[in-house]
Coordinates of all heavy atoms in Angstrom, one line a residue:
M192 N 47.8 143.7 100.4 CA 47.7 142.3 100.1 C 47.3 142.1 98.7 O 46.4 142.7 98.2 CB 46.8 141.6 101.1 CG 46.7 140.1 100.8 SD 45.7 139.4 102.1 CE 45.7 137.7 101.5
I193 N 48.0 141.2 98.0 CA 47.7 140.9 96.6 C 46.6 139.8 96.5 O 46.7 138.8 97.2 CB 48.9 140.5 95.8 CG1 49.9 141.6 95.8 CG2 48.6 140.1 94.4 CD1 51.3 141.2 95.2
D194 N 45.6 140.0 95.7 CA 44.5 139.0 95.5 C 45.0 138.1 94.3 O 44.9 138.5 93.2 CB 43.2 139.7 95.1 CG 42.1 138.7 94.9 OD1 42.2 137.6 95.4 OD2 41.1 139.1 94.3
E195 N 45.4 136.9 94.7 CA 46.0 136.0 93.7 C 44.9 135.3 92.8 O 45.2 134.7 91.9 CB 46.8 134.9 94.4 CG 48.0 135.4 95.1 CD 47.8 135.7 96.5 OE1 46.7 135.4 97.0 OE2 48.6 136.4 97.1
Y196 N 43.7 135.5 93.2 CA 42.6 134.7 92.5 C 41.8 135.6 91.5 O 41.1 135.1 90.7 CB 41.7 134.1 93.5 CG 42.4 133.1 94.4 CD1 42.7 133.5 95.8 CD2 42.9 132.0 94.0 CE1 43.4 132.6 96.6 CE2 43.6 131.1 94.8 CZ 43.8 131.4 96.1 OH 44.6 130.6 96.9
G197 N 41.9 136.9 91.6 CA 41.1 137.8 90.8 C 41.9 138.2 89.5 O 43.0 137.8 89.3
L198 N 41.2 139.0 88.7 CA 41.8 139.5 87.5 C 42.5 140.8 87.8 O 41.8 141.8 88.0 CB 40.8 139.7 86.4 CG 41.3 140.1 85.1 CD1 42.3 139.1 84.5 CD2 40.2 140.4 84.1
T199 N 43.8 140.8 88.0 CA 44.5 142.0 88.3 C 44.9 142.7 87.0 O 44.7 142.2 85.9 CB 45.8 141.7 89.1 OG1 46.6 140.8 88.3 CG2 45.5 140.9 90.4
G200 N 45.4 143.9 87.1 CA 45.8 144.7 85.9 C 47.0 144.0 85.2 O 47.0 143.9 83.9
G201 N 47.9 143.4 85.9 CA 49.0 142.7 85.3 C 48.5 141.5 84.5 O 49.0 141.2 83.4
R202 N 47.6 140.8 85.1 CA 47.0 139.6 84.4 C 46.2 140.0 83.2 O 46.3 139.3 82.2 CB 46.1 138.8 85.4 CG 46.9 138.0 86.4 CD 46.0 137.1 87.2 NE 46.7 136.3 88.1 CZ 46.2 135.7 89.2 NH1 45.0 135.9 89.5 NH2 47.0 135.0 89.9
A203 N 45.5 141.1 83.3 CA 44.7 141.5 82.1 C 45.6 141.9 81.0 O 45.4 141.5 79.8 CB 43.8 142.7 82.5
V204 N 46.6 142.7 81.2 CA 47.5 143.1 80.2 C 48.3 141.9 79.6 O 48.5 141.7 78.4 CB 48.5 144.2 80.6 CG1 49.5 144.6 79.6 CG2 47.7 145.4 81.0
G205 N 48.8 141.0 80.5 CA 49.6 139.9 80.1 C 48.7 138.9 79.3 O 49.2 138.4 78.2
T206 N 47.5 138.7 79.7 CA 46.6 137.8 78.9 C 46.2 138.4 77.6 O 46.2 137.7 76.6 CB 45.3 137.5 79.7 OG1 45.7 136.9 81.0 CG2 44.4 136.6 79.0
A207 N 45.9 139.7 77.6 CA 45.6 140.4 76.3 C 46.8 140.3 75.3 O 46.6 140.1 74.1 CB 45.2 141.8 76.6
G208 N 48.0 140.5 75.8 CA 49.2 140.4 75.0 C 49.4 139.0 74.5 O 49.7 138.8 73.3
A209 N 49.1 138.0 75.3 CA 49.2 136.6 74.9 C 48.2 136.3 73.8 O 48.5 135.6 72.9 CB 49.1 135.7 76.1
V210 N 47.0 136.7 74.0 CA 45.9 136.4 73.0 C 46.3 137.1 71.7 O 46.1 136.5 70.6 CB 44.6 136.9 73.5 CG1 43.5 136.9 72.5 CG2 44.1 136.0 74.7
L211 N 46.7 138.4 71.7 CA 47.1 139.1 70.5 C 48.3 138.4 69.8 O 48.3 138.2 68.6 CB 47.5 140.5 70.9 CG 47.9 141.4 69.7 CD1 46.8 141.6 68.7 CD2 48.4 142.7 70.2
A212 N 49.3 138.0 70.6 CA 50.4 137.3 70.0 C 50.1 135.9 69.5 O 50.6 135.5 68.4 CB 51.5 137.2 71.1
L213 N 49.2 135.2 70.1 CA 48.7 133.9 69.6 C 48.0 134.1 68.3 O 48.2 133.3 67.4 CB 47.9 133.2 70.7 CG 47.3 131.8 70.3 CD1 48.5 130.9 70.0 CD2 46.4 131.3 71.3
A214 N 47.1 135.1 68.2 CA 46.4 135.3 67.0 C 47.3 135.7 65.9 O 47.2 135.3 64.7 CB 45.4 136.5 67.2
A215 N 48.4 136.5 66.2 CA 49.4 136.8 65.2 C 50.2 135.6 64.7 O 50.5 135.5 63.6 CB 50.3 137.9 65.8
T216 N 50.4 134.7 65.7 CA 51.1 133.5 65.3 C 50.3 132.6 64.3 O 50.8 132.1 63.4 CB 51.5 132.7 66.5 OG1 52.3 133.5 67.4 CG2 52.3 131.4 66.2
I217 N 49.0 132.6 64.6 CA 48.1 131.8 63.7 C 48.1 132.5 62.3 O 48.1 131.8 61.3 CB 46.7 131.7 64.3 CG1 46.7 130.8 65.6 CG2 45.7 131.2 63.3 CD1 45.5 130.9 66.4
L218 N 48.0 133.8 62.3 CA 48.1 134.5 61.0 C 49.4 134.2 60.3 O 49.4 134.0 59.1 CB 47.9 136.0 61.2 CG 46.6 136.6 61.3 CD1 46.7 138.1 61.7 CD2 45.8 136.4 60.1
A219 N 50.5 134.2 61.0 CA 51.8 134.0 60.3 C 51.8 132.6 59.8 O 52.3 132.4 58.7 CB 52.9 134.2 61.4
V220 N 51.3 131.6 60.5 CA 51.3 130.2 60.0 C 50.4 130.1 58.8 O 50.8 129.4 57.8 CB 51.0 129.3 61.1 CG1 50.7 127.9 60.6 CG2 52.1 129.2 62.2
L221 N 49.3 130.8 58.8 CA 48.4 130.7 57.7 C 49.0 131.4 56.5 O 48.9 130.9 55.3 CB 47.1 131.4 58.0 CG 46.1 130.7 58.9 CD1 44.9 131.5 59.3 CD2 45.7 129.3 58.3
A222 N 49.8 132.4 56.7 CA 50.5 133.0 55.6 C 51.6 132.1 55.1 O 51.9 132.1 53.9 CB 51.1 134.4 56.0
L223 N 52.2 131.4 56.0 CA 53.3 130.5 55.6 C 52.8 129.4 54.7 O 53.5 129.0 53.8 CB 54.0 130.0 56.9 CG 55.2 129.1 56.7 CD1 56.4 129.9 56.0 CD2 55.7 128.5 58.0
I224 N 51.7 128.9 55.0 CA 51.1 127.8 54.2 C 50.3 128.3 53.0 O 49.6 127.6 52.4 CB 50.3 126.8 55.0 CG1 49.1 127.4 55.7 CG2 51.2 126.1 56.0 CD1 48.2 126.4 56.4
R225 N 50.4 129.6 52.8 CA 49.8 130.3 51.7 C 48.3 130.3 51.7 O 47.6 130.3 50.6 CB 50.3 129.8 50.4 CG 51.8 130.0 50.3 CD 52.4 129.5 49.0 NE 53.8 129.6 49.0 CZ 54.6 130.0 48.1 NH1 54.0 130.4 46.9 NH2 55.9 130.1 48.2
R226 N 47.6 130.3 52.8 CA 46.2 130.5 52.9 C 45.8 132.0 52.8 O 44.7 132.3 52.4 CB 45.7 129.9 54.2 CG 45.9 128.5 54.4 CD 44.7 127.7 53.8 NE 44.9 126.3 54.0 CZ 44.2 125.4 53.4 NH1 43.2 125.8 52.6 NH2 44.4 124.2 53.7
I227 N 46.7 132.8 53.3 CA 46.5 134.3 53.2 C 47.7 134.9 52.6 O 48.8 134.3 52.6 CB 46.1 134.9 54.6 CG1 47.2 134.7 55.6 CG2 44.8 134.4 55.1 CD1 47.0 135.4 56.9
G228 N 47.6 136.1 52.1 CA 48.8 136.7 51.4 C 49.8 137.4 52.3 O 49.7 137.3 53.5
P229 N 50.7 138.1 51.6 CA 51.7 138.8 52.4 C 51.2 139.9 53.3 O 51.8 140.3 54.2 CB 52.6 139.4 51.3 CG 52.1 138.9 50.0 CD 50.9 138.2 50.2
R230 N 50.0 140.4 53.0 CA 49.4 141.4 53.9 C 49.1 140.8 55.2 O 49.2 141.5 56.3 CB 48.1 142.0 53.3 CG 48.4 143.0 52.1 CD 47.1 143.6 51.7 NE 47.4 144.5 50.5 CZ 46.5 145.1 49.9 NH1 45.2 145.0 50.2 NH2 46.8 145.8 48.8
G231 N 48.6 139.6 55.2 CA 48.4 138.9 56.5 C 49.7 138.7 57.2 O 49.7 138.7 58.5
A232 N 50.8 138.4 56.5 CA 52.1 138.3 57.2 C 52.5 139.6 57.8 O 53.1 139.6 58.9 CB 53.1 137.8 56.2
A233 N 52.3 140.7 57.1 CA 52.7 142.0 57.6 C 51.9 142.3 58.9 O 52.4 142.8 59.9 CB 52.5 143.1 56.6
L234 N 50.6 141.9 58.8 CA 49.7 142.1 60.0 C 50.2 141.3 61.2 O 50.2 141.7 62.3 CB 48.3 141.8 59.7 CG 47.3 142.0 60.8 CD1 47.2 143.4 61.3 CD2 45.9 141.5 60.3
A235 N 50.7 140.0 60.9 CA 51.2 139.2 61.9 C 52.5 139.7 62.5 O 52.6 139.6 63.7 CB 51.5 137.8 61.3
V236 N 53.3 140.3 61.7 CA 54.5 141.0 62.3 C 54.2 142.1 63.2 O 54.7 142.2 64.3 CB 55.5 141.4 61.1 CG1 56.6 142.3 61.7 CG2 56.0 140.3 60.4
V237 N 53.2 142.9 62.8 CA 52.9 144.1 63.6 C 52.2 143.6 64.9 O 52.5 144.1 66.0 CB 52.0 145.1 62.8 CG1 51.4 146.1 63.7 CG2 52.7 145.7 61.7
A238 N 51.2 142.7 64.8 CA 50.5 142.3 66.0 C 51.4 141.4 66.9 O 51.3 141.6 68.1 CB 49.3 141.4 65.5
G239 N 52.3 140.6 66.3 CA 53.2 139.9 67.1 C 54.1 140.8 67.9 O 54.4 140.5 69.1
S240 N 54.6 141.8 67.2 CA 55.5 142.7 67.9 C 54.8 143.5 69.0 O 55.3 143.7 70.1 CB 56.1 143.7 66.9 OG 56.8 143.1 65.9
A241 N 53.5 143.9 68.8 CA 52.7 144.5 69.8 C 52.5 143.6 71.0 O 52.6 144.0 72.2 CB 51.4 145.0 69.3
G242 N 52.2 142.4 70.8 CA 51.9 141.4 71.8 C 53.2 141.2 72.6 O 53.2 141.1 73.9
A243 N 54.3 141.0 71.9 CA 55.6 140.8 72.6 C 56.0 142.0 73.5 O 56.5 141.9 74.6 CB 56.7 140.5 71.6
A244 N 55.7 143.2 72.9 CA 56.0 144.5 73.7 C 55.2 144.6 74.9 O 55.7 144.9 76.0 CB 55.8 145.7 72.8
A245 N 53.9 144.2 74.8 CA 53.1 144.2 76.0 C 53.6 143.2 77.1 O 53.6 143.5 78.3 CB 51.6 143.8 75.7
G246 N 54.0 142.0 76.6 CA 54.6 141.0 77.5 C 55.9 141.5 78.2 O 56.0 141.3 79.4
V247 N 56.7 142.1 77.4 CA 58.0 142.7 78.0 C 57.6 143.8 79.0 O 58.3 143.8 80.1 CB 58.9 143.2 76.9 CG1 60.0 144.0 77.4 CG2 59.4 142.0 76.0
L248 N 56.7 144.6 78.7 CA 56.3 145.6 79.7 C 55.8 145.0 81.0 O 56.2 145.5 82.1 CB 55.2 146.5 79.0 CG 54.7 147.6 79.9 CD1 55.8 148.7 80.2 CD2 53.5 148.3 79.3
V249 N 54.9 144.0 80.9 CA 54.4 143.4 82.1 C 55.6 142.7 82.9 O 55.6 142.8 84.1 CB 53.3 142.4 81.8 CG1 52.9 141.6 83.0 CG2 52.1 143.1 81.3
L250 N 56.5 142.1 82.2 CA 57.6 141.4 82.8 C 58.5 142.4 83.5 O 59.1 142.2 84.5 CB 58.4 140.5 81.9 CG 57.7 139.3 81.4 CD1 58.5 138.6 80.3 CD2 57.5 138.3 82.6
A251 N 58.6 143.6 82.9 CA 59.5 144.6 83.4 C 59.0 145.2 84.7 O 59.8 145.6 85.6 CB 59.7 145.7 82.4
V252 N 57.7 145.3 84.9 CA 57.1 145.9 86.1 C 56.7 144.9 87.1 O 56.3 145.3 88.2 CB 56.0 146.9 85.7 CG1 56.4 148.0 84.9 CG2 54.8 146.2 85.1
A253 N 56.7 143.6 86.8 CA 56.3 142.6 87.8 C 57.4 142.6 88.9 O 58.6 142.6 88.7 CB 56.2 141.3 87.1
D254 N 56.8 142.5 90.1 CA 57.7 142.5 91.3 C 57.9 141.1 91.9 O 58.7 140.9 92.8 CB 57.3 143.5 92.3 CG 55.9 143.2 92.8 OD1 55.2 142.4 92.2 OD2 55.5 143.9 93.8
C255 N 57.1 140.1 91.4 CA 57.2 138.8 91.9 C 57.1 137.8 90.8 O 56.9 138.2 89.6 CB 56.1 138.5 93.0 SG 56.3 139.5 94.5
G256 N 57.1 136.5 91.1 CA 57.1 135.5 90.1 C 55.7 135.0 89.7 O 54.7 135.7 90.1
P257 N 55.6 133.8 89.1 CA 54.3 133.3 88.7 C 53.4 133.0 89.9 O 53.9 132.6 91.0 CB 54.6 132.0 88.0 CG 56.1 132.1 87.7 CD 56.7 133.0 88.7
G258 N 52.1 133.2 89.7 CA 51.1 132.9 90.8 C 50.9 134.0 91.8 O 50.2 133.8 92.8
T259 N 51.4 135.2 91.5 CA 51.3 136.3 92.5 C 50.3 137.4 92.0 O 50.1 138.4 92.6 CB 52.6 137.0 92.7 OG1 53.2 137.4 91.5 CG2 53.6 136.0 93.4
G260 N 49.7 137.2 90.8 CA 48.8 138.1 90.3 C 49.4 139.2 89.4 O 48.7 140.2 89.0
N261 N 50.7 139.1 89.1 CA 51.3 140.1 88.3 C 51.3 139.8 86.8 O 51.7 140.6 86.0 CB 52.8 140.2 88.7 CG 53.0 140.8 90.0 OD1 52.3 141.7 90.4 ND2 53.9 140.3 90.8
G262 N 50.7 138.7 86.3 CA 50.6 138.4 84.9 C 51.9 137.9 84.3 O 52.0 138.0 83.1
V263 N 52.8 137.3 85.0 CA 54.1 136.9 84.5 C 53.9 135.7 83.5 O 54.6 135.7 82.5 CB 55.0 136.5 85.7 CG1 56.3 135.9 85.2 CG2 55.2 137.7 86.6
V264 N 53.0 134.8 83.8 CA 52.9 133.7 82.9 C 52.3 134.1 81.5 O 52.8 133.7 80.5 CB 52.0 132.6 83.6 CG1 51.7 131.4 82.6 CG2 52.7 132.1 84.8
G265 N 51.3 134.9 81.6 CA 50.7 135.4 80.3 C 51.7 136.3 79.6 O 51.8 136.2 78.3
A266 N 52.5 137.1 80.3 CA 53.4 137.9 79.6 C 54.5 137.1 79.0 O 55.0 137.4 77.9 CB 54.0 138.9 80.7
G267 N 55.0 136.0 79.6 CA 56.0 135.2 79.0 C 55.4 134.5 77.8 O 56.2 134.4 76.8
A268 N 54.2 134.1 77.8 CA 53.6 133.5 76.6 C 53.5 134.5 75.5 O 53.7 134.2 74.3 CB 52.2 132.9 77.0
A269 N 53.2 135.7 75.9 CA 53.0 136.8 74.9 C 54.4 137.1 74.2 O 54.4 137.3 73.0 CB 52.5 138.1 75.5
V270 N 55.5 137.1 75.0 CA 56.8 137.3 74.4 C 57.1 136.1 73.4 O 57.6 136.4 72.3 CB 57.8 137.4 75.5 CG1 59.2 137.4 74.9 CG2 57.6 138.7 76.3
V271 N 56.9 134.9 73.8 CA 57.3 133.8 73.0 C 56.4 133.8 71.7 O 57.0 133.7 70.6 CB 57.1 132.4 73.8 CG1 57.2 131.2 72.9 CG2 58.1 132.4 74.9
F272 N 55.1 133.9 71.9 CA 54.2 133.8 70.7 C 54.5 135.0 69.8 O 54.4 134.9 68.6 CB 52.8 133.8 71.1 CG 52.3 132.4 71.6 CD1 51.6 132.3 72.7 CD2 52.7 131.3 70.9 CE1 51.1 131.1 73.2 CE2 52.3 130.0 71.3 CZ 51.5 129.9 72.5
G273 N 54.7 136.2 70.4 CA 55.0 137.4 69.6 C 56.3 137.3 68.8 O 56.3 137.7 67.6
L274 N 57.3 136.7 69.4 CA 58.5 136.6 68.6 C 58.4 135.5 67.5 O 58.9 135.7 66.4 CB 59.7 136.2 69.6 CG 60.2 137.2 70.5 CD1 61.2 136.7 71.5 CD2 60.7 138.4 69.8
I275 N 57.7 134.5 67.8 CA 57.4 133.5 66.7 C 56.6 134.1 65.6 O 57.0 133.9 64.4 CB 56.7 132.3 67.3 CG1 57.6 131.5 68.2 CG2 56.1 131.4 66.2 CD1 56.9 130.4 69.0
A276 N 55.6 134.9 65.9 CA 54.8 135.5 64.8 C 55.6 136.5 64.0 O 55.5 136.5 62.8 CB 53.6 136.2 65.5
A277 N 56.5 137.3 64.7 CA 57.3 138.3 64.0 C 58.3 137.6 63.1 O 58.5 138.0 61.9 CB 58.0 139.2 65.0
V278 N 58.9 136.5 63.5 CA 59.9 135.8 62.7 C 59.3 135.1 61.5 O 59.7 135.3 60.4 CB 60.7 134.8 63.6 CG1 61.6 133.9 62.7 CG2 61.6 135.6 64.6
V279 N 58.2 134.4 61.8 CA 57.5 133.6 60.7 C 56.9 134.6 59.7 O 57.0 134.4 58.5 CB 56.5 132.7 61.2 CG1 55.7 132.0 60.1 CG2 57.2 131.6 62.1
G280 N 56.3 135.7 60.2 CA 55.8 136.7 59.3 C 56.8 137.4 58.5 O 56.6 137.6 57.3
G281 N 58.0 137.6 59.1 CA 59.1 138.2 58.3 C 59.6 137.3 57.2 O 60.0 137.7 56.1
I282 N 59.7 136.0 57.5 CA 60.1 135.0 56.5 C 59.1 135.0 55.4 O 59.5 134.9 54.2 CB 60.2 133.6 57.2 CG1 61.4 133.6 58.1 CG2 60.3 132.5 56.1 CD1 61.5 132.3 59.0
V283 N 57.8 135.0 55.7 CA 56.8 135.0 54.6 C 56.9 136.3 53.8 O 56.9 136.2 52.5 CB 55.4 134.9 55.2 CG1 54.4 135.1 54.1 CG2 55.3 133.5 55.8
M284 N 57.1 137.4 54.4 CA 57.3 138.7 53.6 C 58.5 138.6 52.8 O 58.5 139.1 51.6 CB 57.3 139.8 54.6 CG 56.0 140.1 55.2 SD 56.0 141.3 56.5 CE 56.7 142.7 55.7
A285 N 59.6 138.1 53.3 CA 60.8 138.0 52.5 C 60.6 137.1 51.3 O 61.1 137.3 50.2 CB 62.0 137.5 53.3
R286 N 59.9 136.0 51.5 CA 59.7 135.0 50.4 C 58.8 135.7 49.4 O 59.0 135.5 48.2 CB 59.0 133.8 51.0 CG 58.6 132.7 49.9 CD 58.0 131.5 50.5 NE 56.7 131.9 51.0 CZ 55.9 131.0 51.7 NH1 56.3 129.8 52.0 NH2 54.7 131.4 52.1
A287 N 57.8 136.4 49.8 CA 56.9 137.1 48.8 C 57.7 138.1 48.0 O 57.5 138.3 46.8 CB 55.7 137.7 49.6
R288 N 58.6 138.9 48.7 CA 59.4 139.9 48.0 C 60.3 139.2 47.0 O 60.5 139.7 45.9 CB 60.2 140.7 49.0 CG 60.8 141.9 48.5 CD 61.4 142.7 49.6 NE 60.7 142.3 50.9 CZ 61.1 142.5 52.1 NH1 62.2 143.3 52.3 NH2 60.5 142.1 53.2
R289 N 60.9 138.1 47.3 CA 61.8 137.4 46.4 C 61.0 136.8 45.3 O 61.5 136.9 44.1 CB 62.5 136.3 47.2 CG 63.6 135.6 46.4 CD 64.3 134.5 47.2 NE 63.3 133.5 47.6 CZ 63.2 133.1 48.9 NH1 64.0 133.5 49.8 NH2 62.3 132.1 49.2
T290 N 59.8 136.4 45.5 CA 59.0 135.8 44.4 C 58.6 136.9 43.4 O 58.6 136.6 42.2 CB 57.8 135.1 45.0 OG1 58.2 134.1 45.9 CG2 57.0 134.4 43.9
T291 N 58.3 138.0 43.9 CA 57.8 139.1 43.0 C 59.0 139.6 42.2 O 58.8 140.1 41.0 CB 57.1 140.2 43.7 OG1 58.0 140.8 44.7 CG2 55.9 139.8 44.4
R292 N 60.2 139.6 42.7 CA 61.4 140.1 42.0 C 61.8 139.1 40.8 O 62.1 139.5 39.8 CB 62.6 140.3 42.9 CG 62.4 141.5 43.7 CD 63.7 141.7 44.5 NE 63.5 142.8 45.5 CZ 64.3 143.0 46.5 NH1 65.3 142.2 46.7 NH2 64.1 144.0 47.3
T293 N 61.7 137.8 41.1 CA 62.2 136.9 40.1 C 61.1 136.4 39.2 O 61.3 135.9 38.2 CB 62.7 135.6 40.8 OG1 61.7 135.0 41.6 CG2 63.9 135.9 41.7
G294 N 59.8 136.7 39.6 CA 58.6 136.3 39.0 C 58.2 136.4 37.7 O 57.7 135.9 36.9

């Protein structure tokens, strides 16, 4: 029997991936508004990709839907936030590369 109310392994990994991906998204946005440099954007790409990968892993092994203790909701959030962080971080890195070339 699955304990729907406790912290299961799937929930722990899904939540950790979501928190990592959310932090990466915040870093990417800060880099986009030029509060931090391109190194922060690179960190956002790496952390966002790791968070998204953790989310995909949890979604791949989940055998049921949301509310069953498999961490599906956190994993979905991790994938979304991780992809946003990777794309925005990549845009910032491309902008920084273009600025240094023409600079």
Side-chain angles (χ1 to χ4, degrees):
M192 180 173 176
I193 298 175
D194 181 21
E195 295 91 12
Y196 302 107
L198 183 64
T199 62
R202 281 186 180 160
V204 174
T206 302
V210 169
L211 179 64
L213 180 61
T216 303
I217 292 169
L218 275 175
V220 169
L221 287 174
L223 184 65
I224 61 173
R225 298 181 187 223
R226 296 270 183 194
I227 58 176
R230 286 186 184 176
L234 181 62
V236 169
V237 172
S240 299
V247 167
L248 178 67
V249 171
L250 287 174
V252 299
D254 56 353
C255 295
T259 58
N261 289 321
V263 174
V264 175
V270 170
V271 170
F272 285 134
L274 290 176
I275 290 170
V278 168
V279 173
I282 289 170
V283 171
M284 289 172 55
R286 180 179 68 186
R288 194 171 339 166
R289 185 179 60 231
T290 303
T291 57
R292 285 185 187 164
T293 61

